[in-house]
Amino acid sequence: MFKIHLLTAIRQIRRSTALSAITIVGLAVGFTSVILLSIWINYEYQYDRFYPKTNRIYKVFIEEPRKGDVEKYPWVSFPLAEAMQGEVPEIENSTIVSSGSIKVKYNDHAFYENRACFTNPQLFKIFDFKFTRGNKKLALSHKQSIVISERVAKKYFGNENLSGKCFR
């Protein structure tokens, strides 16, 4: 039965090649669009969903009118976050994360870190980051303290013990 249907389809494609090509290309574009759209929707739905408190985490935007349109920016100042937390009782914790680049020196080595983030200790009360070393409750408690990833720790210190090490 399947063989008969396959032979009929092949004959039809040979008879009207242009129409068959348009149909096959349209079908391929349609399937590709559905697959790509499904992947994108799944990504958007899963974005930042790996945090346990996702339903209680919000991002604040500033709206700024420009040339007849309104632009939204996902950053605010440190004092605004503190003021909002003090004024709005529903806000349990607030933090600001800003990024930039810094020059880091350790011993005789100097590096530029282009993916540095500047924040406050409240970040670890909002997001559940896993610490392999150190105390999460004491992280960023001093102005000159830092938290680094395992990759950065290996880059600067190798397999040394990190306790008491200093960057300049």
Side-chain angles (χ1 to χ4, degrees):
M1 182 79 175
F2 178 73
K3 186 176 179 182
I4 295 170
H5 288 301
L6 185 62
L7 289 174
T8 306
I10 291 172
R11 283 188 207 128
Q12 187 65 26
I13 289 171
R14 285 186 182 160
R15 270 192 226 140
S16 53
T17 53
L19 184 61
S20 297
I22 291 171
T23 304
I24 292 170
V25 168
L27 191 61
V29 168
F31 276 136
T32 304
S33 300
V34 167
I35 290 169
L36 290 176
L37 193 59
S38 298
I39 290 170
W40 180 70
I41 288 171
N42 187 42
Y43 170 78
E44 288 294 322
Y45 183 72
Q46 297 298 325
Y47 184 77
D48 282 350
R49 297 281 183 226
F50 53 89
Y51 297 116
K53 303 178 216 169
T54 297
N55 60 341
R56 295 172 39 209
I57 298 174
Y58 295 91
K59 190 174 191 177
V60 177
F61 288 85
I62 291 179
E63 291 184 352
E64 187 175 297
R66 285 224 171 136
K67 299 178 185 173
D69 196 18
V70 177
E71 300 240 355
K72 291 183 181 180
Y73 298 102
W75 59 78
V76 294
S77 63
F78 279 99
L80 178 63
E82 293 171 3
M84 285 177 63
Q85 186 172 349
E87 304 256 337
V88 181
E90 289 82 12
I91 297 177
E92 297 172 28
N93 288 307
S94 64
T95 189
I96 300 286
V97 179
S98 62
S99 60
S101 60
I102 57 172
K103 183 178 181 180
V104 178
K105 289 183 183 178
Y106 178 68
N107 289 339
D108 297 333
H109 305 292
F111 299 95
Y112 282 98
E113 289 293 334
N114 294 322
R115 296 179 58 200
C117 292
F118 307 96
T119 188
N120 57 14
Q122 299 290 349
L123 179 82
F124 302 113
K125 292 180 181 176
I126 298 170
F127 299 101
D128 293 329
F129 292 113
K130 304 277 188 266
F131 275 50
T132 55
R133 297 181 194 151
N135 188 344
K136 191 179 200 178
K137 293 179 181 175
L138 296 176
L140 302 178
S141 58
H142 304 290
K143 283 190 175 189
Q144 299 297 321
S145 61
I146 63 169
V147 175
I148 58 175
S149 67
E150 287 186 55
R151 182 188 61 81
V152 172
K154 282 195 186 277
K155 177 178 175 181
Y156 291 107
F157 305 110
N159 292 326
E160 295 179 43
N161 184 5
L162 301 179
S163 297
K165 302 292 182 190
C166 292
F167 286 125
R168 285 183 250 140

